[in-house]
Amino acid sequence: MAVDLARAAVPHIRPRVPFGQRLALPDGLVPLLRRIGWMLVSVGCFAGLWELLWALGIADAKLLPPPHIFLGNLAEQARFFNTAQRWQIGTGMNTGPSPAMAVLITVLASTGRVLAGLALAATLSILVGVAIRYVVLFERLTLPTITLLAPVSPIAWLPVAIFMFGIGNAPAIFMVFIALFFTMVLSTIHQIDGVNRNYINVARTMGATKRQIYARVIVPAILPGLLAVLRLNLFGAWMVVLVAEATGVGYGLGQVIMLARNTFNPSLVFFTITLIGLLGFAFDLLFRLVQRRMLYWLPRDAGSSLGL
């Protein structure tokens, strides 16, 4: 009653209405805009701090060029991405595709290697992990070797990749695969061991066979954890493919970074790093959307613990 009297006495006072309702936005769009806004604020703070250090003279523009320098001339930086033609047939810097097309070719080459290696590693690791827990003999024959090879750094496999496949796409894909396969097999085994035994006991009570238990109980139960591990390995795949490309197994973003290092071009280095970061962020966002579609049975609150 007191609130109504106050509003009647002061006509210009209006009840507060949420922002989404004032603009008549859909319910799902408001959280998305909020997340995009905080993302822009986060990136803006980082870039602003970098620009401030440059303005104060703390960061040398020749060694640590601020964003307005290495992002200010896209065409100048993009022409250095013409590495595919020079790597293949030895043509000059000014021949071959246009700068925009060279950037697209380089990005697609690195992205294709990442996705191919990640898909192979994910598929085979899940199959091998399930087979290890499904067949005792297979476990005894393979698990000790997998545990032995899991700690080996992917860099140690680089000479093996070159010996086996030479240069091109195959060694880079092999590097991504070998960097993820062993740890994902062990993660699959750990996920299987952590399945709630009540689920298995209920399935047995209902007359399910061993194959049905694995196909309809265990695999769906471990899928949320496996997708979370796969999302983290997506970043690892990008790291490994850049190392493989930087050593000369094929053209790509890693080779561009090596070119920038050899020519002492910090602007090109940070331009390429920014491009890699944008690609990784876009793929991570797309992967999270796929996760939510696949794990439709999980409540929304459960996704935060899985990185969804």
Side-chain angles (χ1 to χ4, degrees), residues 143-164:
L143 186 56
T145 303
I146 292 174
T147 308
L148 177 68
L149 296 176
V152 179
S153 171
I155 307 303
W157 290 96
L158 182 59
V160 179
I162 296 176
F163 295 157
M164 293 175 58

Side-chain angles (χ1 to χ4, degrees), residues 290-308:
V290 173
Q291 281 181 310
R292 289 186 177 182
R293 291 289 184 180
M294 293 182 63
L295 306 178
Y296 59 88
W297 64 86
L298 289 181
R300 287 296 182 181
D301 297 337
S304 59
S305 63
L306 298 172
L308 305 180

Side-chain angles (χ1 to χ4, degrees), residues 114-129:
V114 168
L115 295 181
L118 187 65
L120 287 174
T123 302
L124 292 180
S125 63
I126 294 176
L127 292 176
V128 172

Side-chain angles (χ1 to χ4, degrees), residues 80-100:
F80 290 100
F81 282 73
N82 185 11
T83 60
Q85 291 290 332
R86 291 187 287 112
W87 176 78
Q88 289 176 330
I89 59 177
T91 59
M93 181 73 73
N94 297 323
T95 59
S98 63

Side-chain angles (χ1 to χ4, degrees), residues 157-221:
W157 290 96
L158 182 59
V160 179
I162 296 176
F163 295 157
M164 293 175 58
F165 303 103
I167 58 177
N169 291 322
I173 295 174
F174 174 80
M175 287 284 294
V176 175
F177 169 80
I178 210 70
L180 306 180
F181 173 73
F182 299 113
T183 55
M184 291 187 68
V185 170
L186 297 178
S187 176
T188 302
I189 296 173
H190 175 72
Q191 295 287 339
I192 293 175
D193 294 340
V195 173
N196 192 334
R197 294 301 165 185
N198 292 330
Y199 300 158
I200 300 176
N201 294 333
V202 170
R204 287 174 178 170
T205 302
M206 298 178 67
T209 63
K210 183 178 180 181
R211 180 177 299 179
Q212 290 174 333
I213 290 175
Y214 270 86
R216 300 186 181 184
V217 178
I218 293 180
V219 172

